[in-house]
Structures are given as C-alpha cells and as structure tokens.
C-alpha cells in the first residue's frame, strides 16, 4: 500500500508566509501545529461546475473524502507559483491554465495548521487524474450544497468554500428578471392587477439594475 513520505521536508512559515524554519511532513502532521504553506486550485468548467478530486484511502489526512480540485504542500525551496504548477501537473495532468489568486488564510485542524494560498481557474480541456488519486469529477453547486455536512467532503474544503465564497465570483451572472423567478425570489404575475402593470414593473426593475 502507498503511503506519504513522512520525512519530506516542508518550510515553516509565519502568517504572512515568511519562512522561519523547516520540519518534516511527519512533524507537521503530528499535532505540533507548525504552520506550513499549501496551495489550492479550484478548477471550474465554463458551465460553472467545480471539479473535485477523491482522496485515496492510504492518505494520512482525510482518506476517502472528496476534496479541492488540487491541493498540495509547498516544498522547501519552492515558490507558491512553482508549487501550484507542479501540483496541478502531477494531480490532474493540466499544464495550460491561468490561475487567479483569491486569498490566503490559516486553516487549523486537530492534526495540523496550514497557510493556504487559494487559487481558481476556468478550464474546459482534458483532465487526467493521477494514479495517486481515486479519480475525480465535476460537481454542480447544488450537488455540493446538498452534500455539505454529511462527511462526503474534507472539513478543509467545506470550510474554504464558505470562507472564500468561490462560487460567487465564478457562477454565470443572472439578469434581474431571471433572479425574480428563482425559488428564493419568486414573483408571479398574479401579484399585479393586470399584465400591463407586470410589464411596467419588470421594465422599472431592469432600469434600476442598470440592464437598460
């Protein structure tokens, strides 16, 4: 059975990302809470669906869970940019992508403490998951929302999509009229006295939203 290399060296950093030392993977994942940097990439397709990878059962952290499209540690001596390109190529076989840095934040669990550099990209090309993963697929926002809190995803992923709101900046924009007819903002024509009033209200709304 495969296993992580617990002797792999990671940089130790402060919350601004400045390197302050080094430690092994085993030391970083032992509950020591040594802050070490990682890169995340959220891969969307043009339909607004998010690709998730499935972690293999042999992983020392969160085995068998669905997780961020790409996630990996920054090795000692690597920059964020180089680590991101390496991890994306290794995990998904993608080399021609344009990442956008969204933010960085500190994630802490019972076993580790990470400085996470969060990126996203839109990609419609072929994806070839590494043999070290248990595959992956694209998920719709609704499908992800339905499965939150059920042990399907890693706690890190669930925390991140709430913290960073990655869908809000990637999902296709709806017009104000489309918004009126969503489940959350249901307005029916019967609310108005007649069809003419309904048309006038719709036009006024579009003007207010800047769509005219």
């Amino acid at each position: 059975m495969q296993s992580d290399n617990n002797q792999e060296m990671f940089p130790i950093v402060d919350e601004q990302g400045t390197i302050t030392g080094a430690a092994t993977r085993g030391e970083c994942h032992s509950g020591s809470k040594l802050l070490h940097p990682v890169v995340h990439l959220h891969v969307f397709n043009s339909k607004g669906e998010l690709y998730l990878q499935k972690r293999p059962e042999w992983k020392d952290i969160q085995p068998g869970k669905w997780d961020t499209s790409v996630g990996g540690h920054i090795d000692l001596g690597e920059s964020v940019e180089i680590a991101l390109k390496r991890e994306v190529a290794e995990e998904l076989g993608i080399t021609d992508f344009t990442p956008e840095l969204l933010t960085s934040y500190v994630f802490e669990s019972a076993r580790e403490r990470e400085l996470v550099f969060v990126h996203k990209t839109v990609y419609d090309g072929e994806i070839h998951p590494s043999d070290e993963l248990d595959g992956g697929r694209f998920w719709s926002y609704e499908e992800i929302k339905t499965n939150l809190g059920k042990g399907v995803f890693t706690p890190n992923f669930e925390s991140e999509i709430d913290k960073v709101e990655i869908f809000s900046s990637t999902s296709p924009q709806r017009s104000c009229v489309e918004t009126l007819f969503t489940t959350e903002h249901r307005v029916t024509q019967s609310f108005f006295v007649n069809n003419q009033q309904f048309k006038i209200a719709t036009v006024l709304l579009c003007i207010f939203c800047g769509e005219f």
Side-chain angles (χ1 to χ4, degrees):
M1 176 183 291
Q2 290 178 293
S3 63
D4 286 314
N5 178 10
N6 283 330
Q7 298 306 308
E8 185 178 2
M9 295 299 296
F10 294 156
I12 303 304
V13 298
D14 60 23
E15 294 190 6
Q16 286 69 50
T18 303
I19 297 176
T20 60
T24 66
R25 174 190 288 268
E27 291 171 326
C28 290
H29 291 176
S30 66
S32 65
K33 302 301 178 72
L34 292 170
L35 184 63
H36 54 288
V38 302
V39 289
H40 284 180
L41 179 69
H42 297 279
V43 179
F44 288 88
N45 60 23
S46 57
K47 295 188 291 185
E49 298 169 327
L50 178 61
Y51 188 91
L52 300 182
Q53 62 162 266
K54 190 171 186 184
R55 296 176 65 82
E57 295 294 339
W58 53 263
K59 295 295 288 184
D60 63 339
I61 300 289
Q62 298 296 326
K65 300 288 184 67
W66 288 91
D67 202 3
T68 308
S69 312
V70 174
H73 294 86
I74 297 176
D75 289 339
L76 193 60
E78 276 189 318
S79 66
V80 172
E81 295 77 15
I82 291 175
L84 182 66
K85 290 180 179 179
R86 174 181 56 77
E87 288 288 345
V88 175
E90 289 177 357
E91 294 190 357
L92 301 184
I94 298 174
T95 57
D96 56 336
F97 70 101
T98 303
E100 176 187 344
L101 177 63
L102 299 178
T103 190
S104 62
Y105 70 93
V106 174
F107 172 78
E108 185 171 339
S109 69
R111 292 189 59 181
E112 63 176 338
R113 190 163 173 257
E114 297 177 332
L115 178 61
V116 186
F117 291 91
V118 186
H119 304 75
K120 73 171 184 179
T121 193
V122 176
Y123 181 80
D124 288 317
E126 293 186 1
I127 296 178
H128 301 284
S130 163
D131 292 339
E132 293 188 357
L133 302 177
D134 278 353
R137 66 177 178 88
F138 282 99
W139 297 58
S140 70
Y141 172 72
E142 290 299 326
E143 189 177 11
I144 290 174
K145 187 168 68 172
T146 299
N147 285 282
L148 290 174
K150 297 181 179 179
V152 175
F153 309 118
T154 65
N156 193 331
F157 172 73
E158 292 197 357
S159 171
E160 186 161 296
I161 63 171
D162 178 59
K163 183 189 300 290
V164 181
E165 297 183 343
I166 57 170
F167 277 95
S168 63
S169 59
T170 306
S171 300
Q173 294 294 312
R174 293 181 301 187
S175 70
C176 56
V177 176
E178 288 176 313
T179 302
L180 274 175
F181 291 95
T182 63
T183 303
E184 298 87 351
H185 305 283
R186 180 75 60 188
V187 176
T188 63
Q189 188 171 343
S190 61
F191 176 82
F192 300 93
V193 174
N194 55 49
N195 186 54
Q196 186 64 24
Q197 282 191 354
F198 180 77
K199 291 179 179 178
I200 292 171
T202 301
V203 170
L204 289 174
L205 175 63
C206 289
I207 293 172
F208 179 77
C209 292
E211 294 185 8
F212 277 177

